[in-house]
Amino acid sequence: VKLRSSSQRGARREGLTVRSRPYYVDQRAEDRKDRLVTSALRAPPLFHDLPLTLEAFALAPARAGGSDRVGRRVLIKTTVPLASLPLLPTGDRWVEGRVALRGEVLDKEAKQVCAFDHELPLRIPREEVAISRLIYETGCVLEPGAYTLSMIAMDPVTLEIGARLAPLLVLKPDTSAGAYLSEFYLWTREPGTVLVTSGLGTIGVGDSVMTRGLVPRPERRMDGRQDAALSFVLCLPRGGGPQVGSPLRVTRTLLGQGGASVAEFQDLLIGEDPDAETGCYQVSTTIPAGTLGDGVYTFSVGVNGATLKHSISRNVALAVD
């Protein structure tokens, strides 16, 4: 590049020559992958090579970060269609592949409070032709508040990425009655899935790989041909556990149209101490496949005990298609 010389007020501008040389930075494969992952976590809407859905479920109260502050055990569920992942035949019996899942939870100040990083091997029997989805579950303990949850699924070979961003609201447990009865979640057995749980030790669940496992649903709506379970958590104040000869009694009834009882479950008598860490009991009610016809039902629960300040009751709706 040359600039024409010119005179201005007696001053002479000298010419200037600029030379350039092409170059590039050759980053390591791991560095390129990390930069790609960071970009996907920060801007999920730009990455949609792999479709995925993202859901979260607040479970039992727990101590947050080893402090006295009460948080919640949060289960995070990611669903990825298997058709979007490269699965290769191995012998006559299996198809195999890998998927990397990474995510993070940010608080209101954009500070990372929880992170996930798992690369999962997939090995599926070839005869399981009906399997169409991978469900990945992980979790962490969060204090009550508003968060942002982002999760990515990546093919480690092609580096194709799908990402999702979702708000996450963790509510404070209401213990005004001296005890706490959590949300009621519906878990259904999904025959078309591979369920992989990893990193769930922080919320008291072991890691596993299984087909046709029970998974939580964001709404209480089920197919009547599915095995299902309604689950909730009962937490007691310190010293409020059952006494010898005076157990807690949990009653459960399923009501149909007009409030008529269509199913009654045997009363659950709880005489043992609650979980030492959370002070809670996990109560699950199984609904076998084919038990209920189409319609909307009411699941009614009552908890009574000599050590409770007041009896506790709650009714929730259950839809069956």
Side-chain angles (χ1 to χ4, degrees), residues 73-277:
R73 291 178 170 182
V74 178
L75 184 147
I76 296 170
K77 171 187 167 187
T78 304
T79 305
V80 183
L82 282 180
S84 63
L85 300 174
L87 299 177
L88 301 177
T90 303
D92 297 329
R93 296 188 54 195
W94 305 94
V95 291
E96 295 184 351
R98 300 186 72 84
V99 60
L101 294 121
R102 298 190 187 183
E104 63 182 6
V105 178
L106 305 179
D107 63 13
K108 293 186 296 184
E109 286 74 35
K111 177 184 176 183
Q112 187 185 87
V113 295
C114 193
F116 324 102
D117 186 357
H118 304 287
E119 186 167 324
L120 309 176
L122 300 176
R123 194 165 189 255
I124 302 170
R126 299 186 71 169
E127 64 267 19
E128 297 281 0
V129 293
I131 292 179
S132 60
R133 297 182 302 276
L134 164 70
I135 293 181
Y136 163 71
E137 293 178 349
T138 189
C140 57
V141 176
L142 299 173
E143 294 184 38
Y147 300 89
T148 300
L149 168 64
S150 60
M151 182 73 74
I152 70 167
M154 179 175 65
D155 178 353
V157 178
T158 65
L159 299 186
E160 291 183 330
I161 288 183
R164 287 296 300 271
L165 183 72
L168 174 58
L169 180 63
V170 179
L171 299 177
K172 182 179 180 180
D174 180 9
T175 57
S176 58
Y180 169 68
L181 203 60
S182 76
E183 299 89 341
F184 284 61
Y185 289 122
L186 175 67
W187 301 64
T188 56
R189 192 173 304 281
E190 302 292 338
T193 66
V194 176
L195 173 62
V196 179
T197 62
S198 182
L200 281 176
T202 55
I203 64 171
V205 181
D207 295 344
S208 64
V209 178
M210 67 185 78
T211 57
R212 298 180 294 274
L214 284 169
V215 298
R217 300 179 64 92
E219 71 284 335
R220 288 187 296 273
R221 178 179 293 273
M222 58 175 283
D223 186 329
R225 296 166 295 182
Q226 292 177 298
D227 289 327
L230 278 167
S231 177
F232 63 91
V233 172
L234 170 64
C235 303
L236 304 178
R238 189 180 300 274
Q243 298 175 349
V244 177
S246 182
L248 296 174
R249 181 180 295 272
V250 180
T251 59
R252 298 161 293 170
T253 307
L254 199 60
L255 307 175
Q257 188 174 8
S261 174
V262 296
E264 293 187 1
F265 303 90
Q266 184 176 0
D267 287 356
L268 181 62
L269 300 178
I270 302 176
E272 67 273 11
D273 292 331
D275 177 75
E277 180 182 349

